[in-house]
């Protein structure tokens, strides 16, 4: 579904003029002013109007354009606008909407509103919409449109072009004609350019491309993003389990899916439940709910860090200097884990990494973690010795042993953090969960406890008989 630009400058400029024309019953002038604009610009104007003016302005537009303008509004705005329309006006808009945009609106609308609108729809549109709504949420079937054109292999080019002229207005896209058999099974496709340039007497089967890339209606919608990107196609056919053509997905719908999925992954990686609506339209209660749950989980996780510190309380009392390096140790492990999990989650989203590659990723992250750990370990070693030598700190006469403790701990913590960050997305994907759930804060919290254990284990190893 299209979305409005955040910049409503044109709308704010023209809305008062349109409202004034409506108030003075100069609807002809208001209609003329609106029709001169493009659909996104009309939507910008309407969103700045009062509800009573919005309803009148929509009525002034031709039905098809009113439906197109309506599709540019966010869900909350659509529901509010429908609430200010009569049943007849609402039915006109819903019936004229593209099937995929109609489904987007109805699946997120309150149940009672969705049922009322379905009842107002024409039988053909209602049956079409209900069929799409039967597909699982987040599936390709929910994103497709059944408005497409097909040709038969035995047709001549002249017959195919006549069919396009007669039914072209019903199709979402005319760039590609899909070739189907008598049962409607997808066989191939023909580019419109080929049809236009071919001899009218030539049969369509001679113009077939020879191979067709299709999607399954029950596949996850993210697959459409990957397939369209891989094959560089503006439209893809959708088939059911028996390979019967049931719809198409177009580039604009897939672009919306890509944006929504990327936004969802970024929010999850930030350590929160994904929002189901734009930030500015989300209620305070929703923001607190989505963020609070994960904060509680992370807080509970951090209590294990406190427990680990209390377990080593005796060692800390004996060598208070060790406490100075705790933030350095746990943050290094958390940072390395966050880097690894972010890289793997994104690689999975782009299809660069699959579950079968976990072994290769394990070895790559192990090697990377060791090298990064050694690098940070050297920096930590130099830092402790340098601060001691120039008098910026006093780490006791055993500063060399302390520097070795810090350095060796960094090697272990960074290596462990990198491995956890790299492998956790695979574990989550394997059990059927979203890898993005392995958010950076979650990985950091998980590594914190282990980091403390590694740190004080190294301290006991290097400092036994001296400070401990």
């Amino acid at each position: 579904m299209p979305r409005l630009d955040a910049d409503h400058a044109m709308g704010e400029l023209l809305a008062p003029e349109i409202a004034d024309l409506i108030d003075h019953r100069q609807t002809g002038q208001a209609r003329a002013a609106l029709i001169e604009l493009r659909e996104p610009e009309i939507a910008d104007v309407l969103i700045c109007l009062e509800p009573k003016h919005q309803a009148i302005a929509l009525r002034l537009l031709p039905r098809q354009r009113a439906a197109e303008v309506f599709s540019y509004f966010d869900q909350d705005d659509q529901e509010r606008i429908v609430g200010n329309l009569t049943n007849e006006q609402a039915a006109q808009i819903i019936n004229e909407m593209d099937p995929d945009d109609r489904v987007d609106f109805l699946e997120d609308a309150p149940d009672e509103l969705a049922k009322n609108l379905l009842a107002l729809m024409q039988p053909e549109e209602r049956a079409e919409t209900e069929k799409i709504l039967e597909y699982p949420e987040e599936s390709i079937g929910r994103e497709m449109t059944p408005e497409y054109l097909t040709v038969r292999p035995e047709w001549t080019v002249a017959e195919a072009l006549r069919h396009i002229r007669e039914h072209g207005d019903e199709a979402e896209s005319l760039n590609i004609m899909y070739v189907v058999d008598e049962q409607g099974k997808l066989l191939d496709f023909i580019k419109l350019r080929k049809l236009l340039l071919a001899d009218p007497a030539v049969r369509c089967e001679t113009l077939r491309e020879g191979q067709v890339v299709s999607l399954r209606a029950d596949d996850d919608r993210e697959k459409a993003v990957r397939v369209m990107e891989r094959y560089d196609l503006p439209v893809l056919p959708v088939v059911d389990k028996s390979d019967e053509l049931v719809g198409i997905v177009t580039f604009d719908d897939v672009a919306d899916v890509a944006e929504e999925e990327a936004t969802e992954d970024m929010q999850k990686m930030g350590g929160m439940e994904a929002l189901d609506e734009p930030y500015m339209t989300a209620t305070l209660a929703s923001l607190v709910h989505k963020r609070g749950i994960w904060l509680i989980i992370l807080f509970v996780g951090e209590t294990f860090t406190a427990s680990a510190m209390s377990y080593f309380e005796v060692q800390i009392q004996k060598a208070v200097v060790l406490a100075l390096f705790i933030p350095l140790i746990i943050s290094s492990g958390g940072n390395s884990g966050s880097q690894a999990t972010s890289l793997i989650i994104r690689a999975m989203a782009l299809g660069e990494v699959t579950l079968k590659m976990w072994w290769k990723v394990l070895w790559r992250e192990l090697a990377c973690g060791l090298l990064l750990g050694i690098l940070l370990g050297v920096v930590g070693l130099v830092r402790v010795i340098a601060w001691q030598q120039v008098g910026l700190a006093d780490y006791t006469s055993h500063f060399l042993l302390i520097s070795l403790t810090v350095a060796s701990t960094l090697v272990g913590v960074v290596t462990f953090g990198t491995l956890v960050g790299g492998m956790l997305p695979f574990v989550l994907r394997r059990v059927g969960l979203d890898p993005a759930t392995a958010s950076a804060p979650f990985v950091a919290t998980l590594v914190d406890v282990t980091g403390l254990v590694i740190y004080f284990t190294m301290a006991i190893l290097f400092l036994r008989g001296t400070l401990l």
Side-chain angles (χ1 to χ4, degrees), residues 138 259-269 274 434:
E138 306 288 313
E259 181 181 358
E260 291 172 12
E261 293 294 336
T263 300
E264 181 179 312
D265 287 348
M266 290 178 66
Q267 290 171 347
K268 287 182 178 179
M269 289 172 65
D434 188 347

Side-chain angles (χ1 to χ4, degrees), residues 75-251:
Q75 183 72 25
D76 290 343
D77 293 324
Q78 288 179 330
E79 293 176 13
R80 178 172 49 79
I81 290 171
V82 168
N84 290 311
L85 299 175
T86 65
N87 286 346
E88 181 182 358
Q89 294 166 353
Q92 289 177 356
I93 289 178
I94 296 299
N95 281 315
E96 290 292 337
M97 290 180 70
D98 291 336
D100 50 342
D101 289 338
R102 186 192 302 138
V103 168
D104 280 344
F105 170 58
L106 292 176
E107 69 180 347
D108 293 329
D111 291 341
E112 184 176 352
L113 175 60
K115 290 179 181 178
N116 291 338
L117 291 175
L118 281 170
L120 293 172
M121 291 169 57
Q122 296 175 2
E124 184 178 349
E125 276 71 23
R126 180 169 62 250
E128 192 176 67
T129 302
E130 289 175 341
K131 184 177 180 180
I132 295 176
L133 287 171
E134 289 176 358
Y135 291 105
E137 291 187 20
E138 306 288 313
S139 70
I140 290 173
R142 286 290 185 98
E143 304 297 328
M144 72 180 185
T145 176
E147 296 182 337
Y148 56 90
L149 288 185
T150 61
V151 297
R152 298 283 295 278
E154 66 272 17
W155 287 1
T156 64
V157 169
E159 290 174 322
L161 291 176
R162 183 167 60 250
H163 178 70
I164 293 172
R165 284 191 294 269
E166 292 174 355
H167 303 282
D169 288 341
E170 305 169 7
E172 176 90 2
S173 173
L174 292 176
N175 292 331
I176 293 175
M177 300 295 109
Y178 293 102
V179 184
V180 298
D181 63 13
E182 294 180 357
Q183 288 74 41
K185 290 186 177 181
L186 179 64
L187 301 177
D188 211 329
F189 72 96
I190 302 173
K191 295 180 180 179
L192 180 60
R193 183 174 183 271
K194 271 192 175 183
L195 278 175
L196 294 174
L197 298 178
D199 188 318
V202 170
R203 291 160 62 97
C204 288
E205 62 183 357
T206 64
L207 303 177
R208 291 168 51 172
E209 292 295 319
Q211 55 182 353
V212 60
V213 179
S214 62
L215 302 167
R216 284 279 296 272
D218 54 358
D219 283 338
D220 189 278
R221 64 181 191 168
E222 286 188 81
K223 183 178 179 180
V225 180
R226 298 193 298 270
V227 173
M228 188 165 282
E229 180 183 33
R230 177 179 176 83
Y231 294 99
D232 195 23
L233 295 171
V235 59
L236 289 168
V238 182
V239 299
D240 61 13
K241 294 179 180 179
S242 60
D243 290 330
E244 182 180 343
L245 184 62
V246 292
I248 61 172
V249 288
T250 55
F251 175 80

Side-chain angles (χ1 to χ4, degrees), residues 18-19 21-28 30-31 34 46 49-62 66 81 84-86 89 93:
I18 299 298
L21 290 172
I22 291 174
D23 287 337
H24 289 84
R25 299 186 179 181
Q26 296 176 327
T27 54
R31 182 177 187 276
L34 289 172
L46 265 60
L49 294 174
E50 295 293 328
K52 63 177 183 179
H53 293 137
Q54 286 179 345
I56 295 173
L58 276 175
R59 285 206 308 269
L60 296 177
L61 297 172
I81 290 171
N84 290 311
L85 299 175
T86 65
Q89 294 166 353
I93 289 178

Side-chain angles (χ1 to χ4, degrees), residues 392-408:
L392 293 176
D394 184 6
Y395 299 130
T396 75
S397 58
H398 303 290
F399 69 91
L400 287 177
L401 292 177
I402 292 174
S403 66
L404 290 174
T405 299
V406 172
S408 58

Side-chain angles (χ1 to χ4, degrees), residues 317-364:
Q317 289 178 348
K318 289 182 178 179
V320 180
V321 67
L322 293 177
L324 299 176
F325 299 101
I326 290 177
L328 172 72
I329 299 298
I330 61 177
S331 65
S332 296
N335 290 340
S336 64
S338 298
Q339 286 182 340
T341 196
S342 298
L343 284 172
I344 301 304
I345 289 172
R346 188 55 182 164
M348 282 184 168
L350 295 175
E352 299 171 352
V353 170
T354 63
L355 278 177
K356 294 181 180 179
M357 298 179 182
W358 73 271
W359 187 249
K360 293 181 180 180
V361 174
L362 173 66
W363 284 108
R364 286 175 66 89

